[in-house]
Amino acid sequence: LFNKKNYYGKINICFVGRLETEKGLELFLSMIISLNNTNKLGTINIVGDGPMRSKCQDVINNNNKIDFRLRGWLSREALNEIYYKSHLLILPSKSEGFPKVLIEASAYGCVSCVTNLPGISQYIKHKKNGFLIMGNNKIDLLKLLVFILDNRKLLSNVAKAGVDFSSNFTYSKNNDQIKKNIINNAIKIQK
């Protein structure tokens, strides 16, 4: 699947999660509509539902220069199709554990662009197998998106590394890593 994806044309982006401020939907929408040059953008898929659905629909209705698609909740098959067609998953959450959507998207060559949070930065390495949003604000997110749009070879390499990363991920390895972190933190606290 990865080998068939073209990272040099228009970039399709997806947001997958609850439609709420905590998941970064407002930040995501604000950043997309603030982009000066939208001719590099393809389809912007928003998958999920929640309290901000009507606000999200209003933003879409008031913006005809960007191809937004509000999808609601999707079946596993339909969501996998979104990942397959998308180049970037942007998830600017305010707090997060380790969302499985990052692994799911990566398996399809859809690069994760996520907030630099402890539960995420253990796995997603900036410019290696994904991109980390260093400051969770519109300016930093916008700068990162422009950087990605201007560096397609890097995007392709990061996608390949993400596919490799996702193929090695198992929930038992994740649980072992969590246990290791808890033990290491307990040892630090005792010292």
Side-chain angles (χ1 to χ4, degrees), residues 2 98 100-110 112 123-124 129 158-171 173:
F2 165 78
F98 184 72
K100 67 181 183 172
V101 297
L102 304 181
I103 298 299
E104 293 169 356
S106 293
Y108 288 90
C110 179
S112 297
Y123 299 98
I124 302 299
N129 65 348
V158 169
K160 167 87 173 82
V163 169
D164 294 343
F165 163 71
S166 70
S167 67
N168 293 321
F169 188 88
T170 65
Y171 284 101
K173 285 183 184 179

Side-chain angles (χ1 to χ4, degrees), residues 182-191:
I182 291 171
I183 291 169
N184 287 341
N185 286 337
I187 290 169
K188 287 178 187 175
I189 290 170
Q190 289 178 347
K191 291 181 180 180

Side-chain angles (χ1 to χ4, degrees), residues 5-136:
K5 195 174 272 194
N6 175 9
Y7 292 90
Y8 296 92
K10 289 188 179 252
I11 297 296
N12 297 323
I13 299 172
C14 63
F15 174 96
V16 178
R18 289 184 317 277
L19 305 185
E20 61 185 15
T21 302
E22 292 77 16
K23 286 290 183 184
L25 178 63
E26 207 163 10
L27 177 58
F28 173 80
L29 292 169
S30 176
M31 180 269 306
I32 294 289
I33 60 176
S34 295
L35 193 63
N36 288 329
N37 184 358
T38 59
N39 65 352
K40 294 179 181 181
L41 296 181
T43 303
I44 310 300
N45 285 291
I46 300 168
V47 179
D49 206 343
M52 289 187 63
R53 183 182 180 93
S54 62
K55 183 173 184 173
C56 184
Q57 189 64 61
D58 289 343
V59 169
I60 291 168
N61 293 343
N62 292 319
N63 192 308
N64 60 3
K65 66 179 184 170
I66 299 171
D67 183 15
F68 282 110
R69 308 275 173 92
L70 183 55
R71 304 290 186 175
W73 293 120
L74 298 175
S75 68
R76 168 59 44 206
E77 185 177 288
L79 180 56
N80 289 344
E81 184 70 19
I82 295 290
Y83 292 143
Y84 175 71
K85 290 179 178 177
S86 296
H87 302 91
L88 280 175
L89 164 73
I90 299 180
L91 190 59
S93 297
K94 291 182 178 180
S95 67
E96 201 68 68
F98 184 72
K100 67 181 183 172
V101 297
L102 304 181
I103 298 299
E104 293 169 356
S106 293
Y108 288 90
C110 179
V111 176
S112 297
C113 182
V114 294
T115 308
N116 185 19
L117 296 169
I120 293 173
S121 60
Q122 291 175 269
Y123 299 98
I124 302 299
K125 303 301 178 193
H126 188 55
K127 298 182 185 177
K128 302 289 185 216
N129 65 348
F131 293 97
L132 294 173
I133 306 162
M134 297 306 177
N136 200 13

Side-chain angles (χ1 to χ4, degrees), residues 27 31 135 137-144:
L27 177 58
M31 180 269 306
N137 60 66
K138 183 171 81 172
I139 292 169
D140 289 337
L141 184 53
L142 197 53
K143 284 180 185 176
L144 181 57

